[in-house]
């Protein structure tokens, strides 16, 4: 729900080692918010493999490595200790879009954490597929990590390094609800985190509602966003998007799409009301 930190985290996994960083982020966010973590693998019926369950990300193994639970703790002990519910699901579907979108509707997830890499595997999720359809149906925020992103969660220790979030704003996308959501998300992970706003243009836009200072810069939009992100040491770039048009409808050919593909850090896409 916009304006609240996410409490039901969905991580679609392709069961590859490359998706471990996204899994670590999804798991750490769920622990920080004491929410539900849904690990979902979509397999075509002909590709279904009984061994897939053994290849799922190992929740308790990672939590023990982070020293959040005792080695050998049971699933129930881990859930009770951390206040988190862990769900693993393997779904047969010829369409990843339909499989995950249906899952989201049934389980009311409110944040999707995705790893994107190469032109195979989860790269398909950015190509007329799961993100577009899911957000169109659920209006759900999405955290995107790339293989070349370090991210803000250390996979080995669970340490969070989310200190500064940059949120570019523009006059055509009302930012207040997105700002509240991003601030609640960041502060759930680090109460001292700063959310800084930036507008690239000739003059600051005026918005309804209480917002912090909006930094005004001039220049090419993408380059200016990345330059300011480097200047303030941003750990995350949050991009408000035009909500009901669907995430990738808003992203395609847009500033947000370029930020998503070229950003030096993870990107949090937040549908705006």
């Amino acid at each position: 729900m916009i304006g609240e930190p996410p409490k039901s985290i969905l991580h679609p996994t392709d069961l590859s080692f490359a998706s471990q960083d996204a899994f670590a982020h999804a798991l750490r966010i769920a622990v920080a918010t004491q929410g539900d973590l849904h690990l979902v693998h979509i397999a075509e019926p002909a590709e279904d493999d009984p061994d897939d369950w053994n290849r799922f990300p190992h929740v308790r193994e990672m939590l023990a490595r982070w020293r959040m639970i005792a080695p050998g703790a049971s699933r129930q002990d881990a859930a009770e200790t951390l206040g988190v519910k862990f769900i693993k699901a393997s779904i047969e579907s010829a369409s990843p879009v339909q499989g995950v979108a249906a899952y989201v509707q049934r389980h009311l997830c409110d944040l999707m954490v995705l790893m994107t890499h190469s032109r195979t595997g989860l790269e398909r999720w950015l190509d007329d597929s799961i993100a577009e359809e899911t957000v169109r149906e659920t209006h759900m925020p999405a955290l995107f990590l790339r293989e070349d992103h370090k991210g803000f969660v250390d996979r080995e220790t669970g340490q969070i390094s989310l200190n500064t979030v940059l949120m570019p704003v523009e006059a055509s996308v009302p930012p207040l609800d997105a700002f509240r959501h991003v601030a609640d998300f960041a502060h759930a992970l680090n109460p001292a985190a700063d959310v800084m706003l930036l507008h690239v243009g000739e003059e600051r836009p005026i918005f309804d509602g209480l917002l912090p200072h909006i930094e005004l810069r001039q220049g090419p939009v993408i380059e200016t966003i990345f330059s300011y992100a480097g200047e303030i040491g941003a750990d995350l770039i949050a991009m408000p998007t035009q909500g009901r048009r669907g995430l990738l409808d808003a992203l395609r050919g847009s500033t947000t799409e370029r930020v998503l593909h070229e950003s030096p850090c993870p990107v949090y896409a937040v549908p705006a009301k």
Side-chain angles (χ1 to χ4, degrees), residues 96-97 100-101 112 114 124-125 128-135:
V97 177
V100 174
M112 184 161 54
L114 291 166
R124 65 183 179 177
W125 302 67
D128 288 327
S129 56
I130 187 63
E132 180 179 10
E133 295 298 330
T134 300
V135 176

Side-chain angles (χ1 to χ4, degrees), residues 208-235:
D208 293 331
L210 185 62
L211 290 166
H213 168 75
I214 299 174
E215 180 72 13
L216 179 65
R217 296 291 174 95
Q218 297 177 359
V221 174
I222 304 298
E223 290 78 2
T224 303
I225 290 173
F226 292 160
S227 175
Y228 189 61
E231 184 179 323
I232 64 175
D235 305 297

Side-chain angles (χ1 to χ4, degrees), residues 79-137:
E80 291 178 354
T81 298
L82 299 173
V84 179
K85 184 178 180 181
F86 305 106
I87 304 101
K88 294 182 180 181
S90 183
I91 300 172
E92 289 188 3
S93 176
S95 165
V97 177
Q98 295 174 4
V100 174
Y103 187 91
V104 169
Q105 290 174 356
R106 289 196 303 270
H107 297 276
L108 301 179
C109 301
D110 51 20
L111 171 65
M112 184 161 54
V113 180
L114 291 166
M115 176 67 78
T116 62
H117 49 90
S118 69
R119 296 300 299 177
T120 60
L122 287 184
E123 182 69 12
R124 65 183 179 177
W125 302 67
L126 289 175
D127 185 17
D128 288 327
S129 56
I130 187 63
E132 180 179 10
E133 295 298 330
T134 300
V135 176
R136 177 180 291 130
E137 294 293 330

Side-chain angles (χ1 to χ4, degrees), residues 1-9 29 32-35 110-111 141 180-189 268:
M1 180 180 295
I2 298 299
E4 299 178 359
K7 298 292 288 185
S8 184
I9 317 302
I29 293 166
T33 61
Q34 292 191 310
D110 51 20
L111 171 65
R180 289 171 175 168
H181 175 86
V182 170
D184 285 342
F185 169 79
H187 293 154
L189 299 179
Y268 197 124

